[in-house]
Amino acid sequence: MSQDLTTFVYLVASVCFIMALRGLSHPKTSLQGNRFGMVGMTLAVLATLATPGVETYFGIIVAIAIGGAAGAFIARTIDMTALPQLVAAFHSLVGLAAVLVAGSAFYAPEAYGIGTPGDIKTASLIEMAIGAGIGAVTFTGSILAFGKLQGLITGKPVVFAGQHLFNAVLGVAIVLLVVLFAASQPVWVFWAIVLISLALGVLLIIPIGGADMPVIVSMLNSYSGWAAAGVGFTLGNNLLIVTGALVGSSGAILSYIMCKGMNRSFFNVILGGFGGEAGAGSADTGDKSVNSGSAEDASFILANAGSVIIVPGYGLAVGQAQQAVREMADMLKGMGVNVRYAIHPVAGRMPGHMNVLLAEANVPYDEVLEMEEINRDFQQTDVAFVIGANDITNPAAEDDPQSPIYGMPVLKVDEAKTVLFIKRSLSPGYAGIDNPLFYRDNTMMLFGDAKQMTEGIVKALEDQ
């Protein structure tokens, strides 16, 4: 394939990726967006395989077969609750690839047309140093995020005195080493950049508290995009540069939007600062009591309500209760009840987590509303039906200046006339803090698995 034709196909693939991002911005067009992404990736792979620089296909075919088989197996077997940690794990692979490609280009520059060992172009040295640095930060940061989301390590912030200053010193050291590397290209400097960046990736993520992990997943997505763009510069591949920039910028924009939604500083996220200023609150419930009820109690309240807002959280994902919730909502609508869904921007463990689950259950899109669209309506709502959504409904975010999540916008479910809250126990949410909503007079706790409890409510509604 000629260079001009390759460039044209790359351009078409880039347009497909842009259309994919546009489609994925809304549940109604997400399937179409996925199709655009698949077409763009197919065109990109085929055009790359047809370039004159490819000398043998055996190794490429073996790699595609192994990677494709692993991807297909993971896609078919992964639980919906494990998607956030899966995304974090995939980000780590992008970061590792960036480091390996940079190392390969440094040791065999002739293969990339960027010079000879000891005499590499200055621009290429800067590109591979920055690509390796961002890739190393992404690699260890994503592994740590995976460990936190998987529960392998504590989800609470890990902080120490002078942490931010130490991170800043490491950042300055990396910049100075990049300058030294571009000036004289010693081997030890390249690996020093990689090692310090690996350490920085860990240090940026460990102070992040559990409630803020969705933002970090989004930010790591951005880092992986910029790492891919760095690889594109090293390989001289325009499509990889464009694709990496699209992923990097879209991830950064999404992180910025989420930071605004959580009343967080965007720059503190980049520097790994937020979540560590305050420790996790106490989960001590003292002698406080709660009102607990059964599925039959809940069905009576719901059947006599005029309006219900369903608030899905991580408990919905754990219990895989989306189909049962849809069935319950359909029955209530058949009784004349106005049923809607409220989505917090960080509900679950990653952006869009709840939207995916509700779409899987074919919940009508016009019934699913974002926080800013529905938060005012809780005051006029008869029942707020909360399913394991702990931190994003915690009124301490507005009432308690000492709370670690103070200032984070939450769904104001406590303003509804009655709150039905499905939860297995009174244990704190992922942020590790108690929720005073449990103990309020207008709250009825429905202890149990989300799916079993909702199915019990459906059965009770049928018996009425």
Side-chain angles (χ1 to χ4, degrees):
M1 180 181 289
S2 67
Q3 184 60 44
D4 288 345
L5 183 56
T6 301
T7 302
F8 175 74
V9 176
Y10 279 175
L11 179 61
V12 174
S14 300
V15 173
C16 287
F17 292 146
I18 294 172
M19 296 301 294
L21 287 174
R22 177 183 173 84
L24 291 171
S25 64
H26 195 278
K28 285 184 178 178
T29 56
S30 58
L31 282 177
Q32 185 183 50
N34 261 325
R35 294 190 186 103
F36 271 116
M38 293 165 64
V39 171
M41 184 56 69
T42 302
L43 290 174
V45 171
L46 292 178
T48 302
L49 291 177
T51 53
V54 179
E55 298 178 352
T56 176
Y57 290 99
F58 178 75
I60 297 174
I61 293 174
V62 171
I64 290 176
I66 295 174
F73 175 77
I74 293 171
R76 294 181 65 86
T77 59
I78 189 72
D79 292 330
M80 291 297 292
T81 53
L83 276 180
Q85 45 267 51
L86 176 67
V87 171
F90 280 171
H91 290 162
S92 72
L93 297 180
V94 179
L96 180 61
V99 175
L100 295 178
V101 170
S104 175
F106 181 56
Y107 282 97
E110 306 98 322
Y112 297 86
I114 57 176
T116 57
D119 187 24
I120 301 174
K121 298 175 183 177
T122 302
S124 298
L125 289 170
I126 296 174
E127 292 162 4
M128 71 174 66
I130 294 176
I134 296 176
V137 169
T138 306
F139 176 60
T140 51
S142 298
I143 288 179
L144 206 70
F146 169 82
K148 285 197 170 200
L149 291 167
Q150 188 67 18
L152 301 177
I153 56 179
T154 178
K156 295 181 179 179
V158 178
V159 296
F160 56 85
Q163 192 169 23
H164 293 175
L165 177 61
F166 188 62
N167 288 349
V169 170
L170 291 182
V172 172
I174 292 174
V175 172
L176 294 176
L177 287 170
V178 170
V179 174
L180 179 60
F181 184 64
S184 55
Q185 53 192 285
V187 175
W188 72 267
V189 173
F190 176 81
W191 290 112
I193 293 172
V194 172
L195 291 175
I196 295 176
S197 299
L198 289 172
L200 189 59
V202 174
L203 293 169
L204 286 176
I205 303 303
I206 56 172
I208 306 302
D212 298 324
M213 286 308 292
V215 185
I216 286 304
V217 173
S218 174
M219 182 57 69
L220 288 170
N221 177 55
S222 176
Y223 288 168
S224 69
W226 297 122
V231 172
F233 278 110
T234 303
L235 298 176
N237 187 304
N238 292 331
L239 179 61
L240 199 51
I241 296 171
V242 172
T243 306
L246 284 174
V247 174
S249 55
S250 60
I253 292 172
L254 178 59
S255 301
Y256 176 73
I257 293 173
M258 294 178 70
C259 285
K260 285 188 66 177
M262 297 173 65
N263 195 29
R264 302 293 191 183
S265 165
F266 180 68
F267 291 102
N268 275 350
V269 176
I270 296 176
L271 299 174
F274 76 79
E277 289 83 353
S282 170
D284 180 19
T285 60
D287 58 354
K288 292 180 285 188
S289 61
V290 300
N291 300 317
S292 63
S294 63
E296 289 74 19
D297 297 329
S299 69
F300 179 81
I301 295 172
L302 288 167
N304 288 280
S307 57
V308 174
I309 296 178
I310 299 173
V311 180
Y314 190 60
L316 179 81
V318 173
Q320 288 293 286
Q322 57 269 29
Q323 298 291 349
V325 170
R326 165 70 194 276
E327 186 178 359
M328 182 192 76
D330 286 347
M331 292 186 69
L332 291 175
K333 285 187 288 185
M335 297 176 178
V337 181
N338 179 25
V339 180
R340 293 175 293 172
Y341 299 79
I343 303 294
H344 191 280
V346 295
R349 296 285 170 82
M350 63 181 292
H353 199 180
M354 295 301 106
N355 300 80
V356 172
L357 292 174
L358 295 180
E360 185 184 29
N362 294 318
V363 171
Y365 296 130
D366 57 356
E367 296 177 5
V368 182
L369 302 173
E370 302 297 329
M371 179 175 66
E372 62 273 14
E373 297 176 307
I374 201 170
N375 230 8
R376 293 174 184 269
D377 295 354
F378 280 105
Q379 288 182 336
Q380 294 81 41
T381 299
D382 292 323
V383 178
F385 188 80
V386 185
I387 311 167
N390 201 343
D391 299 323
I392 61 173
T393 62
N394 194 331
E398 295 188 328
D399 303 337
D400 183 5
Q402 304 304 316
S403 172
I405 62 170
Y406 181 70
M408 169 181 163
V410 293
L411 289 165
K412 300 179 180 180
V413 299
D414 57 310
E415 294 181 354
K417 294 177 183 175
T418 302
V419 179
L420 299 178
F421 204 125
I422 297 182
K423 203 170 183 305
R424 294 175 186 270
S425 69
L426 293 177
S427 60
Y430 199 58
I433 57 176
D434 190 26
N435 190 343
L437 179 65
F438 299 159
Y439 315 104
R440 297 201 172 180
D441 293 338
N442 65 333
T443 299
M444 175 182 286
M445 298 299 298
L446 304 172
F447 292 111
D449 174 80
K451 183 177 181 181
Q452 293 176 0
M453 179 59 72
T454 307
E455 288 177 341
I457 293 173
V458 170
K459 185 176 184 305
L461 287 171
E462 290 174 341
D463 294 340
Q464 288 186 14

